[in-house]
Amino acid sequence: MNQGPDRIDYRESADITEVHASVQREKPEPSADTTPMPLWLTGVCAGAMVWAGTYFGVFHGGLSANVYNEYESSPAVLFPQPQKASGKGAAAEAPQSLAQIGKGIYAQCVTCHQPTGTGVAGQFPPLAKSEWVNGSEKRLVAILLKGLQGPVTVLGAKNSYSGNMVPWEGSLSDKKIAAAASYVRSQWGNAAPEISEAKVTAARKEFAGQKAQWTEAELLQIPEDATLPDAAGAAAPAAGAAPAAQAAPAAPASSGGGADQLAEGKKNYMMICVACHQPTGTGLPAVFPPLVKTPYVNGAPERFAAIILKGNAGPFTIDGKPFNQIMPGQEGALTDGKIAAVMTFVRANFGNTSGPVTPDVVTAARKKFADRTTPWTQPELDAWKDDAK
Ligand code: HEC
Ligand code: HEC
């Protein structure tokens, strides 16, 4: 490097201050303290926080795992609506269904019956598809209240269990037992109707004298079709309606298309049909057909009733798209009034605008096809002779 007078700056100017000035121009003096965050960045951060909070507030779905379960999620879970002012609506649309509450209670059953209701071979019987779970509501409630011991057959002769299930009447309230029963009836392919708290209360009263755990033989003495008195006190073998009766939503559903029937229909749709046909009736592509504007929904009520009663078997073409699954019949699970209500609900929603259906249409169809044991095929449905129309 050049030194002395040969240095480049010396040649131009010997003034030291000027030399320093040129150096200082290049690098500004660093400031000693910190600069505040720019205002715009503060604004962006605040905006992001507000957005995140709002997003979470709208979409938290009660932090329920069900929100992301395609078979259980519903718009009602994702976008909870403020309760309607009418007292009746508020009672019918309680924030959590029994089955949702039951999910928590099932934690007490899960060690034995397993998270997916399969049980443990040879030790704990399955609840999925079990005839004890999906069959007589009275037997199921009896089992939960008092427990079960000794040999029991679940899902056919080869699956015999001989264990011991403790009674739950001491540790679970009527509501919790109703919730657990409703939950297991709605999971793992089970699609039996829920059991109300009032029914459990009635059963607790009726079986008050039963001290020991049930044996299978004793349970089988309860008739398969025995029902428990619900809120309205209908079909009440035991004296008097339960005190909790008024709390549960009543379900008259006898008139055609009234608000009650629609609400009842919606409830049953959301319990049974929703798993396959989805909350908005659109079905699932290539698996479950839509109920939107199809002739089977909007055509002859008798045919629609027949479909719900006996189910369908593929192949099926809807809107030019093929489906090939089985829809299970609901004749065992739903009463005529409930089927009429579901039909009325479907026919008045999802873009459909067909008229209401009265229960006697379903009663007549049930009678007419009483001997039929197989699901319908599409050719049969398309050749429908509707003498009621
Ligand atoms: C400690 C293990 C255990 C727990 C906990 C338990 N169970 Fe069971 N459960 C059994 C056994 C064992 C049987 C079969 C009893 C027999 O062999 O007589 C049974 C039978 C049943 C049955 C009738 C048979 C069937 O598979 O359908 C139902 C329904 C049932 N349990 C539901 C429940 C529910 C609901 C809960 C939770 C509230 C629960 N169980 C908790 C062990 C248990
Ligand atoms: C387990 C799934 C499942 C459930 C639950 C179910 N369906 Fe279906 N449904 C199907 C399938 C699958 C088909 C098409 C038949 C086929 O592929 O064989 C079908 C067909 C139909 C059809 C005729 C075709 C159409 O799209 O119009 C109607 C109507 C119908 N279902 C109504 C109902 C109603 C109402 C309920 C509730 C009571 C219900 N389904 C419950 C699976 C189901």
Side-chain angles (χ1 to χ4, degrees):
M1 204 199 254
N2 288 336
Q3 293 292 338
D6 281 346
R7 272 174 61 171
I8 190 160
D9 43 355
Y10 273 40
R11 224 182 300 138
E12 281 162 10
S13 157
D15 184 342
I16 192 83
T17 28
E18 238 175 86
V19 172
H20 280 179
S22 75
V23 171
Q24 275 183 348
R25 233 180 294 125
E26 305 295 320
K27 290 193 193 133
E29 185 102 347
S31 65
D33 56 355
T34 51
T35 5
M37 191 160 78
L39 203 58
W40 66 267
L41 190 56
T42 318
V44 167
C45 289
M49 276 157 78
V50 168
W51 175 82
T54 315
Y55 187 90
F56 183 73
V58 172
F59 294 102
H60 68 80
L63 297 183
S64 155
N66 287 354
V67 168
Y68 302 104
N69 179 343
E70 65 183 90
Y71 290 117
E72 263 182 68
S73 187
S74 76
V77 180
L78 270 173
F79 304 103
Q81 296 286 321
Q83 299 279 312
K84 296 234 176 61
S86 107
K88 190 147 209 148
E93 313 216 328
Q96 273 202 314
S97 72
L98 274 177
Q100 281 170 315
I101 301 172
K103 187 169 187 181
I105 297 162
Y106 189 72
Q108 311 205 28
C109 326
V110 77
T111 43
C112 302
H113 294 288
Q114 302 301 300
T116 51
T118 50
V120 175
Q123 244 180 316
F124 305 116
L127 302 181
K129 302 268 190 293
S130 158
E131 60 271 40
W132 298 104
V133 172
N134 295 283
S136 155
E137 59 182 26
K138 199 164 179 181
R139 287 182 191 165
L140 175 59
V141 173
I143 292 174
L144 295 183
L145 282 169
K146 304 288 174 178
L148 181 63
Q149 63 178 350
V152 58
T153 301
V154 182
L155 289 174
K158 279 196 230 92
N159 300 294
S160 194
Y161 296 82
S162 189
N164 186 325
M165 182 168 94
V166 295
W168 295 95
E169 59 180 349
S171 51
L172 296 178
S173 67
D174 291 347
K175 178 155 191 198
K176 287 184 172 165
I177 289 182
S182 302
Y183 175 72
V184 300
R185 292 182 120 206
S186 69
Q187 297 296 308
W188 321 305
N190 296 341
E194 68 171 29
I195 296 178
S196 69
E197 180 182 353
K199 290 187 174 206
V200 178
T201 310
R204 199 189 277 267
K205 220 182 210 167
E206 185 178 339
F207 299 130
Q210 170 82 17
K211 293 284 173 265
Q213 284 154 289
W214 300 101
T215 61
E216 182 176 32
E218 284 171 331
L219 282 174
L220 290 174
Q221 279 168 17
I222 301 175
E224 168 76 47
D225 55 0
T227 54
L228 289 163
D230 201 352
Q246 292 84 348
S254 50
S255 61
D260 282 355
Q261 197 191 17
L262 282 170
E264 167 81 2
K266 179 169 185 186
K267 195 176 92 190
N268 286 289
Y269 183 88
M270 287 304 175
M271 224 149 60
I272 295 181
C273 323
V274 73
C276 303
H277 295 289
Q278 301 301 297
T280 51
T282 51
L284 286 177
V287 191
F288 302 118
L291 301 180
V292 180
K293 301 194 178 145
T294 75
Y296 307 102
V297 168
N298 297 284
E302 184 193 55
R303 177 171 67 180
F304 189 6
I307 289 176
I308 300 182
L309 285 167
K310 305 288 174 181
N312 287 319
F316 226 87
T317 307
I318 299 284
D319 249 1
K321 300 192 186 70
F323 297 90
N324 199 351
Q325 298 280 335
I326 299 230
M327 165 166 153
Q330 305 293 335
E331 57 184 344
L334 294 177
T335 62
D336 295 347
K338 286 184 173 166
I339 292 180
V342 169
M343 291 168 67
T344 301
F345 170 74
V346 172
R347 283 162 66 97
N349 283 282
F350 316 141
N352 301 321
T353 51
S354 301
V357 179
T358 53
D360 48 297
V361 174
V362 185
T363 311
R366 197 189 278 271
K367 213 169 185 177
K368 187 162 163 190
F369 307 117
D371 295 338
R372 186 179 179 104
T373 52
T374 51
W376 303 102
T377 62
Q378 192 169 29
E380 279 180 307
L381 292 175
D382 286 344
W384 199 262
K385 300 225 179 13
D386 182 23
D387 37 36
K389 210 182 171 192

